[in-house]
Each structure stands twice: as C-alpha cells, then as structure tokens.
Amino acid sequence: KQILVGTGNGHIFETLIEAKENFFVPGKEKYFKQVYQVKDSKAITGLEFERFPNDQNKCLIVATTRNRIHQFVGMMNNGFEPIFQSYEKHPSFREIPSGKYEIRGELHFLNITQGKYQPVAKGFAWLADPGIFYGGFSFGNQKTGDTVTVDTTLLQWEALKLSNSSLTQGAISLALTEFHFLLLYPDYCQAVSSISEKIMWVHKFPEFVENQMIGLSLDPRTNIIFAYSSK
C-alpha cells in the first residue's frame, strides 16, 4: 500500500514499499514521487490519513507545519496524487498563532476498533507551539475544500503547568488515548483528561534520564505506551 512522507522543507512524497522477507534491503521502494508542497515551505511536522468509513476510495489527509493544519479530502485513484492536485490553487488550512515555546510538533489520530471492523479515526491531537489543538472527525459527504474536523479546541500550555512551578517549555512528545493526552517533558510525564482538561497524574523520571527523554510511542495492537530516551 502507498504511504506518505513529509520533509523538512514542506514537500510531501508518496511511495510504495512491498513487504517481503528481505524487506530491509535498501532500494525496495517501487517509486518515490512528490505529490504536494505546502505554500510556506515550512517543515511537515505531522502527516496522517484515514479512509472514509462509507467509501474506502475517499480519503482524508491531514498535514501539519509549525502553525498550520492542512486538510485534504478527495478520491484516491491509484494513489494520493489526485487528492493533492485539487488543492494546488486553493489550499485548505487553519492557522493558529505562534506560541512562546517552539515545539517540534506531532500529529496523532485516535483510532478506535469497533468489534471485528477496521479501526476508524474518531479524533486527532496536534502538538503545536501554543498548546494542544485537538478535536473530532465527522465523516460524511464532504467534498474537496470541506472540513472533516469538528469541535476543535486549543488547550494552552499555561493551563498544564504543575502547581508551585513555572513552565519553561511545552511538551516534547504526545500519545493519544480515548480519554487522555499523555504528555512528555524532559524530566516528567503527565496524563491530562481530554474531557475535563485536568491533570490526572504526573510521573517524575529518575535523575539519570532527566533531560534525556526523546519521545512517546503507542503500540496500537496492545495499547501500551513507551517512553524512550537517549540513554
């Protein structure tokens, strides 16, 4: 199946990699072609796509840069390129103000499995400069230029600072569950309710990994979240 790759200068590429026994041998991709470039040429910090539940040929693609979230809706035809072509002259994005913290940015979809059916993206969370921009999805009869996101909210970093402490930076990584945001900082991790926006718990890391934390990763099969460091 095709995959999308975002670059540091705002390009989006499509490629196809076949899974075989010698999958990790270099040069196994069948092609690698550019399908879009964001107009401000800023780095792509997040890139996800989801097929419409009622039409598997229709696709939603979401791409983020430092302060913009782009939505692309359209029909796939042997790849993603036809979807992006519809947005060349009239890009569709929402811009949020830059915050005082420079966040490297992450975008995550919340995929929920319903019985034996394929997981369906119910919402998203975007780690942005001023805070966490999040919301839900409403898949319907949208066409090119229409939005699929609903009930979007910006949860600012200042609302998440710990008591009796000053916030010196935003989170460096994010994991998304059905009811919580798990946020990683250089020396601690916190869980925040996506319903009440309240801090539910905080875990301090041992001194030997303080300021060495790099990111969070969610295993979608087991729902286990891993925190990893440089040590």
Side-chain angles (χ1 to χ4, degrees):
K1 294 182 179 181
Q2 295 93 340
I3 63 173
L4 294 171
V5 179
T7 70
N9 58 358
H11 293 87
I12 297 177
F13 289 85
E14 178 184 310
T15 187
L16 176 66
I17 300 178
E18 292 186 325
K20 296 181 179 179
E21 290 183 3
N22 55 351
F23 176 76
F24 291 104
V25 175
K28 282 298 174 184
E29 66 274 7
K30 279 195 166 184
Y31 63 87
F32 197 81
K33 64 179 179 180
Q34 181 179 329
V35 290
Y36 193 74
Q37 181 178 9
V38 295
K39 301 308 178 185
D40 57 4
S41 298
K42 290 184 179 179
I44 303 295
T45 61
L47 187 58
E48 296 274 0
F49 74 89
E50 179 70 32
R51 297 177 187 271
F52 276 58
N54 59 348
D55 187 346
Q56 291 292 292
N57 289 319
K58 184 186 282 190
C59 190
L60 163 70
I61 304 168
V62 180
T64 57
T65 61
R66 182 176 176 186
N67 62 339
R68 289 181 179 179
I69 181 166
H70 300 252
Q71 291 187 60
F72 308 88
V73 176
M75 302 297 292
M76 294 186 66
N77 184 9
N78 295 320
F80 297 101
E81 191 168 16
I83 301 175
F84 288 107
Q85 286 177 341
S86 302
Y87 289 85
E88 285 292 345
K89 292 184 178 180
H90 304 286
S92 175
F93 62 85
R94 178 170 177 176
E95 189 166 7
I96 63 174
S98 298
K100 67 178 182 179
Y101 307 117
E102 186 172 345
I103 307 297
R104 71 183 183 189
E106 289 182 3
L107 172 68
H108 297 279
F109 279 10
L110 174 62
N111 294 289
I112 299 177
T113 301
Q114 298 177 329
K116 62 181 179 180
Y117 300 102
Q118 288 290 330
V120 177
K122 295 295 184 181
F124 73 97
W126 169 31
L127 203 64
D129 280 5
I132 305 168
F133 186 77
Y134 69 98
F137 291 132
S138 179
F139 293 98
N141 298 318
Q142 289 95 340
K143 298 178 181 178
T144 298
D146 292 340
T147 183
V148 181
T149 58
V150 294
D151 302 325
T152 55
T153 303
L154 177 63
L155 175 57
Q156 298 192 24
W157 294 123
E158 292 300 324
L160 300 175
K161 68 180 180 180
L162 302 181
S163 59
N164 301 320
S165 67
S166 59
L167 192 68
T168 58
Q169 70 172 85
I172 59 177
S173 189
L174 164 74
L176 181 61
T177 72
E178 188 171 1
F179 301 111
H180 296 89
F181 309 115
L182 195 64
L183 300 171
L184 181 69
Y185 295 84
D187 56 350
Y188 68 94
C189 190
Q190 67 179 186
V192 178
S193 169
S194 56
I195 299 174
S196 67
E197 297 187 344
K198 302 296 184 182
I199 300 172
M200 306 307 293
W201 59 259
V202 177
H203 173 74
K204 296 284 289 185
F205 292 113
E207 289 186 5
F208 70 90
V209 294
E210 282 188 5
N211 300 314
Q212 304 296 325
M213 302 307 299
I214 296 176
L216 296 172
S217 181
L218 171 66
D219 183 340
R221 291 181 178 270
T222 63
N223 286 324
I224 294 176
I225 298 173
F226 298 90
Y228 54 96
S229 69
S230 58
K231 288 187 176 182

